[in-house]
Amino acid sequence: MERSRLPLNALRAFEAAARHLNVTRAGLELRVSQAAVSHQIKLLEDQLGAPLFRRLPRGLALTDEGAALAPMLGDALDRMAATLDRFASGRLREIVNVGVVGTFATGWLLPRLPAFAALHPDVDLRIMTNNNRVDLAGEGLDLAIRYGDGAWHGTDALPILDAPLTPLCAAGIARRLTAPGDLGRETLLRSYRPDQWTLWFEAAGIATPPIRGPIFDASPTMAAAAAGGAGVALLPARLFEQDLASGRLIQPFDIGVDAGRYWLTQLKSRPETAAMARVRAWLQQAA
């Protein structure tokens, strides 16, 4: 059917009646009379040459033809409504879906979101946190901020923040630590990257002691355990500045090791939109 011949009012009436399975409720939603809804549905059925409803004593039931049409029409109307909702102050609001490793989200990004919104009021960031395992294509992400060495297959990676790892712990434990070797007597909290403590002890110039302690798959959880006195965590101090400022966490040694950094990544096959470019430029400047 040509677009110019699409019976838009009849399609809206049918879609509302198909959702409610009730002509009266459809009329209330559309702010027209029950008779007007019934008239529009009859016009659509005549144009299609097929019945869309079976009239029952109490309400309606979709025919096979109606059941085939209703979900497609509902999806089309939802997508039109979502696009129209993206207009603000006469401008189209652009959406950027960003996957963010949880540590970076809580320690750096979230406190800076008001600044981004002030600079880019027409860009909506949709933020989905993860524990550094992300599938850009499978999760429908435009961008992903992740920690590592920048080598991810099929992606372009832009370094945005260095984050050297350093021991952090509760004040009670910190008072027992006067030299790096004292860590050998403490519980050392670990991430799923088993070599990080070894790298730190190498940077401190001492042999790695036997490492015992629980393993965490997320740095914020490990930081919470350290703050509670469960042991010493190896964490990026730059992303726990609020905890350090409040005294919830203490950095006993001024020794850091570069085991990776935070990168902004996107699929090589994904064309960059103007909004994606603005997010990238802001991250480069703000970090």
Side-chain angles (χ1 to χ4, degrees), residues 199-222:
L199 292 173
W200 188 85
F201 281 110
E202 289 176 356
I206 62 175
T208 304
I211 298 177
R212 60 189 184 279
I215 297 174
F216 297 83
D217 70 347
S219 293
T221 307
M222 184 162 59

Side-chain angles (χ1 to χ4, degrees), residues 174-193:
R175 285 192 288 269
R176 301 198 295 262
L177 303 176
T178 59
D182 295 337
L183 288 170
R185 297 190 297 271
E186 302 294 338
T187 298
L188 302 182
L189 309 180
R190 295 173 287 169
S191 77
Y192 60 89
R193 299 171 183 266

Side-chain angles (χ1 to χ4, degrees), residues 245-265:
S246 68
R248 184 169 179 261
L249 288 172
I250 303 295
Q251 180 179 347
F253 307 115
D254 190 21
I255 301 171
V257 61
D258 184 3
R261 62 182 63 181
Y262 288 94
W263 303 76
L264 179 67
T265 64

Side-chain angles (χ1 to χ4, degrees), residues 6-218:
L6 287 173
L8 297 180
N9 286 336
L11 289 170
R12 287 182 63 221
F14 163 73
E15 192 277 333
R19 270 190 292 108
H20 295 292
L21 291 178
N22 185 286
V23 173
T24 300
R25 287 198 290 270
L28 290 173
E29 176 183 317
L30 299 175
R31 299 180 183 179
V32 297
S33 68
Q34 174 184 342
V37 174
S38 296
H39 177 68
Q40 291 294 335
I41 293 173
K42 182 65 168 58
L43 289 177
L44 182 60
E45 290 177 323
D46 290 344
Q47 186 167 358
L48 296 177
L52 300 174
F53 292 106
R54 295 194 306 274
R55 276 69 178 177
L56 304 176
R58 294 184 179 181
L60 303 171
L62 288 166
T63 63
D64 290 344
E65 292 82 4
L69 178 61
M72 176 279 298
L73 187 57
D75 179 66
L77 292 172
D78 285 342
R79 286 188 285 114
M80 284 190 285
T83 299
L84 293 174
D85 285 343
R86 289 168 53 195
F87 280 87
S89 303
R91 299 186 64 183
L92 179 67
R93 298 182 65 85
E94 297 183 83
I95 296 172
V96 180
N97 296 301
V98 187
V100 187
V101 61
T103 311
F104 188 92
T106 57
W108 191 93
L109 183 60
L110 296 185
R112 291 168 174 80
L113 283 182
F116 177 86
L119 288 171
H120 305 286
D122 56 328
V123 176
D124 277 341
L125 292 182
R126 306 286 173 85
I127 297 170
M128 286 146 278
T129 59
N130 57 69
N131 63 351
N132 213 42
R133 294 175 176 86
V134 63
D135 179 357
L136 279 157
E139 297 175 40
L141 298 174
D142 300 305
L143 304 167
I145 298 171
R146 59 179 86 176
Y147 180 84
D149 59 7
W152 291 283
H153 179 70
T155 66
D156 289 322
L158 175 73
I160 54 174
L161 187 73
D162 293 329
L165 301 177
T166 189
L168 301 180
C169 59
I173 293 177
R175 285 192 288 269
R176 301 198 295 262
L177 303 176
T178 59
D182 295 337
L183 288 170
R185 297 190 297 271
E186 302 294 338
T187 298
L188 302 182
L189 309 180
R190 295 173 287 169
S191 77
Y192 60 89
R193 299 171 183 266
D195 62 336
Q196 291 181 340
W197 272 114
T198 300
L199 292 173
W200 188 85
F201 281 110
E202 289 176 356
I206 62 175
T208 304
I211 298 177
R212 60 189 184 279
I215 297 174
F216 297 83
D217 70 347

